C-alpha cells in the first residue's frame, strides 16, 4: 500500500522531525502493509504554525470561494472513491461493498453538503439594532478514531473549512493511510497551503501535543469517553473551545405494536455493520416480555447470515479483538444466555470475532452498561413502557437509539429518551441531521448546520 514518509504541513509533504514510525497492519491477514511517521510535538508545532499563518487569509476568503474549494475537494474524493475504498479495506478490514458505499460514499456526501452550506449559510444576521457576525473560531485541532476513517475526518475538516477555520489533523494510528489520501485530495483540490495539515502519530504523544497546543483555538475530538474526558479537562484549563464525540450504548426499543421481524432484522444488521465498531450501534435490543422468546429466535436466525470473512470483516486490531472477547467472556460469567457466537475466534488468521447474541441480559450486567465496540447484541426483556424507558436511559451514554411501533407511540417514547438521535421504524441516516451525544456521549454536534456552527463564534455590532 502506498504511504507517505512525511507530514503534510504548509501545503507540502515534509520529513518528520524524528525517525520513529508506526506499522500499519491489515486486520484481515495480520500483515504489515505500510509504515507512517510517528509525529512528535515538534511536528505538531510546525503544523499549528502553518495553520496559524494560513488562518487570516482563509478566514477572509469569501464564503462562495471557500465553497468552491470544498466542492473541488468533494470532486477529488469522488474521483478517487475506489482508491479510498481499497485503502479502508486494507487498513480497517471493511468488506469491499461496505467500504465503497459507506466508507467512501458517505464522506463524499458530507463534503458536498458543506460545499453547499458554505455558500448558503447566513454568516451575518440582524437582531434588533445589532448585526451579528458569525466568525471562524481559528485553528482547529482535529483528533479522529479509526472506525470510519474518512467520515470522521470529513465530518470535522469540511465544516471547519466551510466556517473559515484552518485545521491540523491527528488521525488514529490504526488507519493513517486514509488520512494521507485525504491530505492528497486537499492538495489536488487546490486548497491554499496551511489551510489543512496532517500529523500522523500516537495519541498520547502527537494527539496530546495537539490538544494542549496554545496555538489551537478549538479541539474537536472523536473517540473514547476516557480520552475525551482528559481532552475536555485540558481544554477547560486553557479556556478553549472543545467538541467531544464519544462512546455510546444505544437502545433499540421494540414496542408491542412493532413489526417484530423487521425490527429484529434491522437491529441485528445495524450492529453487525462495520463489525460492531460503530459508536451509535443499537447494541441493546429491548423487547416486551410477551414477545421476548420469539425475538430471541429471530435474532439467532438473523445473525447466522453474518459469516466472518464474507459479510462481516475483522475487528481493527488484535487489541480490539481481545477487548471484545473479554466482554463476551464477562457476559457468560455474569449469567447471560449465549444464543449465537461466543468467545471463540471463527478463523485462524485475522482479528475476527464471531457475531454474538446474548439473551437474558439484565441492566446491571457489564455487557449492558459498557461499550463493547464489536459484533455483540444483548437482548433485554421489559415489563411495560416505563420499564423499557428506565432500561433505555439507564447508562451513562446517550448517543443514539431506535424505536419501533405505532408511529405516535414510538415518537412519544423517543421524546422521553436521553439521547441525541433516534431512528423511528428504521428511519434512514440523514447526513444533514445533527449528530452527537447526551450525557457522557459528548459535547457538541457534527453534520449539517449544527456541525458548521461548532466552528463559529459570534460578534455583535450595535447601531
Ligand atoms: P481513542 O480515544 O483511544 O482514540 C481516538 C483518537 O484519540 C485517536 O486518534 C488516538 O490516537 C487519540 N488519542 C488517544 N489518546 C490520546 C491522548 N491522551 N490525547 C490526545 N489524543 C489521544 O478511541 P478509539 O479506540 O480509537 O475509538 C473508539 C472509541 O471512539 C469508542 O469509544 C467509540 O464509541 C468512540 N467513537 C465515537 C464516535 C462519536 O461520534 N460519538 C464516533 C466514533 C467512535
Amino acid at each position: 500500500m502506498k504511504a507517505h514518509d512525511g507530514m503534510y504541513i504548509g501545503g507540502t509533504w515534509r520529513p518528520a522531525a524524528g525517525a520513529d514510525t508506526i506499522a500499519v497492519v491489515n486486520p484481515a491477514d495480520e500483515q504489515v502493509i505500510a509504515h507512517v511517521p510517528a509525529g512528535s510535538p515538534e511536528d505538531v508545532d510546525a503544523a499549528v504554525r502553518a495553520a496559524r499563518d494560513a488562518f487570516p487569509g482563509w478566514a477572509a476568503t469569501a464564503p462562495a470561494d471557500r465553497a468552491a474549494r470544498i466542492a473541488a475537494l468533494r470532486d477529488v474524493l469522488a474521483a478517487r472513491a475506489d482508491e479510498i475504498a481499497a485503502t479502508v479495506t486494507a487498513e480497517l478490514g471493511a468488506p469491499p461493498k461496505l467500504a465503497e458505499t459507506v466508507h467512501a460514499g458517505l464522506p463524499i456526501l458530507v463534503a458536498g453538503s458543506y460545499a453547499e452550506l458554505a455558500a448558503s449559510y447566513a454568516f451575518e444576521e440582524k437582531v434588533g439594532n445589532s448585526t451579528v457576525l458569525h466568525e471562524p473560531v481559528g485553528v482547529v485541532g482535529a483528533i479522529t478514531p479509526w472506525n470510519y476513517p474518512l467520515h470522521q475526518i470529513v465530518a470535522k475538516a469540511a465544516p471547519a473549512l466551510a466556517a473559515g477555520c484552518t485545521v491540523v489533523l491527528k488521525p488514529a494510528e490504526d488507519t493513517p493511510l486514509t488520512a494521507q489520501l485525504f491530505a492528497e485530495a486537499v492538495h489536488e483540490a487546490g486548497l491554499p497551503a496551511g489551510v489543512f495539515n496532517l500529523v500522523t502519530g500516537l495519541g498520547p504523544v502527537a494527539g496530546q501535543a495537539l490538544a494542549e497546543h496554545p496555538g489551537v483555538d478549538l479541539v474537536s475530538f472523536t473517540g473514547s469517553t476516557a480520552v475525551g474526558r482528559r481532552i475536555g479537562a485540558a481544554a477547560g484549563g486553557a479556556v478553549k473551545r472543545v467538541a467531544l464525540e464519544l462512546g455510546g450504548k444505544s437502545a433499540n426499543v421494540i414496542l408491542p405494536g412493532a413489526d417484530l421481524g423487521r425490527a429484529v432484522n434491522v437491529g441485528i444488521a445495524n450492529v453487525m455493520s462495520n463489525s460492531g465498531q460503530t459508536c451509535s450501534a443499537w447494541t441493546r435490543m429491548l423487547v416486551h416480555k410477551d414477545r421476548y422468546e420469539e425475538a430471541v429466535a429471530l435474532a439467532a436466525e438473523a445473525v447466522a447470515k453474518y459469516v466472518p470473512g464474507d459479510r462481516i470483516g475483522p475487528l481493527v486490531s488484535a487489541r480490539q479483538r481481545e477487548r471484545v472477547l473479554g466482554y463476551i467472556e464477562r457476559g457468560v460469567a455474569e449469567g447471560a444466555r449465549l444464543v449465537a457466537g461466543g468467545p471463540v475466534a471463527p478463523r485462524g488468521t485475522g482479528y475476527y470475532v464471531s457475531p454474538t447474541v446474548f439473551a437474558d441480559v439484565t441492566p446491571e450486567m457489564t455487557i449492558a452498561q459498557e461499550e463493547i465496540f464489536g459484533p455483540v447484541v444483548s437482548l433485554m426483556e421489559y415489563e411495560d413502557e416505563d420499564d423499557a424507558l428506565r432500561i433505555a436511559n439507564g447508562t451513562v451514554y446517550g448517543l443514539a437509539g431506535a424505536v419501533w411501533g405505532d408511529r405516535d407511540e414510538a415518537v412519544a417514547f423517543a421524546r422521553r429518551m436521553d439521547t441525541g438521535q433516534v431512528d423511528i421504524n428504521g428511519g434512514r441516516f440523514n447526513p444533514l441531521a445533527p449528530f452527537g451525544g447526551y450525557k457522557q456521549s459528548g459535547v457538541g454536534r457534527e453534520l449539517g448546520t449544527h456541525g458548521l456552527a461548532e466552528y463559529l463564534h459570534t460578534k455583535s455590532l450595535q447601531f
Side-chain angles (χ1 to χ4, degrees):
M1 247 301 105
K2 186 178 139 201
H4 289 274
D5 58 6
M7 309 295 184
Y8 184 70
I9 295 175
T12 56
W13 292 91
R14 299 188 190 174
D20 291 349
T21 60
I22 297 172
V24 186
V25 176
N26 181 333
D29 62 12
E30 306 182 24
Q31 298 299 307
V32 173
I33 52 171
H35 287 87
V36 298
S40 61
E42 289 93 309
D43 296 308
V44 169
D45 190 53
V48 173
R49 281 170 196 276
R52 281 237 79 85
D53 289 349
F55 176 63
W58 185 244
T61 301
D65 294 339
R66 294 201 300 258
R69 285 297 118 225
I70 299 167
L73 174 59
R74 185 261 331 270
D75 292 347
V76 176
L77 295 175
R80 299 182 70 173
D82 290 348
E83 203 183 334
I84 292 166
T87 305
V88 174
T89 293
E91 63 182 357
L92 178 69
K97 189 154 178 280
L98 180 77
E100 185 191 312
T101 52
V102 177
H103 288 287
L106 179 59
I108 295 167
L109 219 60
V110 172
S113 76
Y114 281 111
E116 284 173 23
L117 279 171
S120 62
Y121 194 79
F123 288 99
E124 267 189 52
E125 60 178 323
K126 291 258 183 252
V127 180
N129 63 313
S130 303
T131 296
V132 179
L133 310 179
H134 296 268
E135 299 187 329
V137 172
V139 173
V140 173
I143 301 175
T144 54
W146 41 264
N147 65 339
Y148 289 89
L150 187 59
H151 170 70
Q152 305 290 9
I153 292 170
V154 171
K156 297 188 188 310
L161 298 177
C165 293
T166 57
V167 178
V168 177
L169 167 70
K170 204 305 282 174
E173 35 278 72
D174 291 309
T175 54
L177 301 179
T178 307
Q180 291 190 338
L181 248 178
F182 179 76
E184 283 184 11
V186 164
H187 194 80
E188 215 177 310
L191 274 102
V195 164
F196 174 85
N197 307 274
L198 170 69
V199 176
T200 52
L202 300 174
V205 183
Q208 193 164 330
L210 180 60
E212 293 177 353
H213 198 293
V216 169
D217 301 298
L218 184 158
V219 182
S220 180
F221 170 81
T222 298
S224 60
T225 296
V227 175
R229 194 174 280 126
R230 295 181 53 175
I231 288 180
V239 197
K240 79 173 58 156
R241 289 269 289 267
V242 66
L244 304 171
E245 295 287 345
L246 309 177
K249 192 72 193 171
S250 301
N252 179 14
V253 182
I254 305 177
L255 296 175
D259 174 344
L260 188 66
R262 183 150 177 264
V264 171
N265 269 295
V266 176
I268 294 288
N270 171 283
V271 180
M272 295 306 143
S273 176
N274 213 39
S275 309
Q277 303 168 122
T278 304
C279 47
S280 55
W282 313 329
T283 52
R284 296 176 299 147
M285 190 183 289
L286 277 54
V287 187
H288 188 267
K289 60 181 183 198
D290 290 348
R291 304 188 77 186
Y292 187 73
E293 284 307 328
E294 196 187 337
V296 171
L298 286 168
E301 201 181 307
V303 85
K305 290 185 237 134
Y306 294 86
V307 178
D310 175 19
R311 270 178 83 174
I312 184 163
L315 298 194
V316 70
S317 63
R319 187 177 72 114
Q320 193 64 16
R321 180 183 57 186
E322 291 322 303
R323 204 170 155 255
V324 172
L325 292 178
Y327 274 115
I328 297 176
E329 282 164 5
R330 190 86 180 259
V332 173
E334 291 182 8
R337 171 166 47 120
L338 206 47
V339 174
V344 179
R347 288 164 74 102
T349 308
Y351 308 131
Y352 291 91
V353 169
S354 296
T356 296
V357 175
F358 278 112
D360 303 346
V361 176
T362 52
E364 72 290 349
M365 286 183 186
T366 308
I367 57 169
Q369 289 297 326
E370 295 185 15
E371 184 178 51
I372 298 174
F373 230 54
V376 182
V377 181
S378 294
L379 270 84
M380 306 175 75
E381 181 180 304
Y382 66 81
E383 291 278 326
D384 54 28
E385 277 196 25
D386 284 346
D387 190 32
L389 189 73
R390 257 191 310 275
I391 299 170
N393 286 342
T395 77
V396 296
Y397 296 112
L399 188 58
V403 186
W404 302 80
D406 164 78
R407 188 189 161 101
D408 291 346
E409 272 172 15
V411 171
F413 192 95
R415 285 180 184 279
R416 297 166 75 198
M417 291 171 81
D418 301 332
T419 193
Q421 279 219 346
V422 185
D423 295 349
I424 308 289
N425 289 328
R428 276 182 304 121
F429 178 75
N430 176 0
L432 292 175
F435 182 91
Y438 278 34
K439 302 192 283 186
Q440 289 184 27
S441 285
V443 175
R445 294 291 179 266
E446 291 196 316
L447 304 181
T449 50
H450 295 80
L452 179 57
E454 291 286 332
Y455 297 96
L456 296 166
H457 51 191
T458 55
K459 180 184 287 169
S460 305
L461 309 180
Q462 281 62 245
F463 295 92

